[in-house]
Amino acid sequence: MNIFKSSLAFIMFAALSASAAPEGAFTTLMVQANDVEKYIDYMKKNTAPFEAIDSDVAGVCVTKSGNQYPGEMFVWNAFPSVEKAFMTSELYDPMNAPKEFNKLRKVLYSVTWKPIKEFELNPGYERLWRIKTNDVRALAKDMTKLEKELQKAGHNMRIGIFEPMGGGTENVHLRVVTNTAAENGKVVDEYYAGASYGKIWDQAFAKYVTEVVRETTEFCEIVYTK
């Protein structure tokens, strides 16, 4: 899948203050696609569902490793607030979607997500950890520090932490994003070679992550903008 390129460059959810979570929210619709590429192409050409919920930006993430089933992926939507994200459940029911959608995928469940740290919405090659944590705000603070150190080292890596709401058994998501798989892999190589920023990661995990429930890699892209 080609990484999305656009004049938008990125959308930033800015922090309100040092102690507050940033603005914005996301929703995700977890699905099993019969044909991933056909489903994505159909959504790009049929944007009525995104318009119906007044989505600012929408996209997909396709699980490439660590899959629990074939065709594992989700559709995400970005909103300026949790208020607007919650409202989508009253505006659109994916279980009653047009039959053309139902032929392409099986709906599993949906979740609303609150970003806990600043996150640059610029999708690409992404590693995702589903984690349990004893202090999500403290973890976010350390990940912000790590992100800055990675940038100083010349890496364009974006780190996000998202807390689920109405997500059933979903856990906190820790997501690291680069434009390409090679860039992500280079950071990993440097980490194992003893890069100084690796200590921030190790200490944060040791202090604040009580369990890694699952880890996957994903290719993500934008399919719709308002």
Side-chain angles (χ1 to χ4, degrees), residues 179-194:
N179 292 336
T180 67
E183 290 174 283
N184 220 301
K186 185 176 181 180
V187 174
V188 175
D189 285 336
E190 290 184 6
Y191 166 82
Y192 280 106

Side-chain angles (χ1 to χ4, degrees), residues 163-203:
E163 197 163 46
M165 291 172 284
T169 59
E170 270 288 5
N171 304 102
V172 168
H173 281 195
L174 170 59
R175 182 176 293 274
V176 298
V177 186
T178 50
N179 292 336
T180 67
E183 290 174 283
N184 220 301
K186 185 176 181 180
V187 174
V188 175
D189 285 336
E190 290 184 6
Y191 166 82
Y192 280 106
S196 60
Y197 55 72
K199 294 179 181 178
I200 304 173
W201 176 270
D202 290 341
Q203 291 171 3

Side-chain angles (χ1 to χ4, degrees), residues 89-108:
S89 62
E90 298 177 329
L91 299 173
Y92 178 75
D93 182 1
M95 297 297 183
N96 291 321
K99 61 182 180 181
E100 289 77 13
F101 273 99
N102 293 330
K103 291 177 181 178
L104 296 170
R105 51 90 170 120
K106 176 183 178 183
V107 174
L108 301 179

Side-chain angles (χ1 to χ4, degrees), residues 95-144:
M95 297 297 183
N96 291 321
K99 61 182 180 181
E100 289 77 13
F101 273 99
N102 293 330
K103 291 177 181 178
L104 296 170
R105 51 90 170 120
K106 176 183 178 183
V107 174
L108 301 179
Y109 63 96
S110 60
V111 191
T112 299
W113 302 91
K114 178 64 185 173
I116 305 301
K117 67 174 290 295
E118 283 189 47
F119 180 63
E120 181 185 319
L121 181 53
N122 183 10
Y125 180 87
E126 314 197 6
R127 291 183 71 189
L128 170 62
W129 289 262
R130 287 173 167 85
I131 62 171
K132 295 181 181 180
T133 173
N134 54 26
D135 193 334
V136 70
R137 294 294 183 94
L139 177 63
K141 185 176 179 180
D142 278 5
M143 290 298 105
T144 298

Side-chain angles (χ1 to χ4, degrees), residues 36-97:
V36 170
E37 296 302 328
K38 185 179 290 186
Y39 179 42
I40 293 172
D41 185 62
Y42 185 82
M43 284 188 290
K44 289 178 178 178
K45 296 175 180 176
N46 296 272
T47 60
F50 305 128
E51 295 165 7
I53 61 175
D54 196 26
S55 175
D56 285 346
V57 187
V60 296
C61 287
V62 180
T63 305
K64 292 297 185 178
S65 69
N67 309 56
Q68 290 187 325
Y69 50 86
E72 181 176 356
M73 62 178 291
F74 63 83
V75 182
W76 54 265
N77 289 272
F79 299 94
S81 66
V82 175
E83 178 183 4
K84 286 206 69 174
F86 277 180
M87 287 171 59
T88 63
S89 62
E90 298 177 329
L91 299 173
Y92 178 75
D93 182 1
M95 297 297 183
N96 291 321

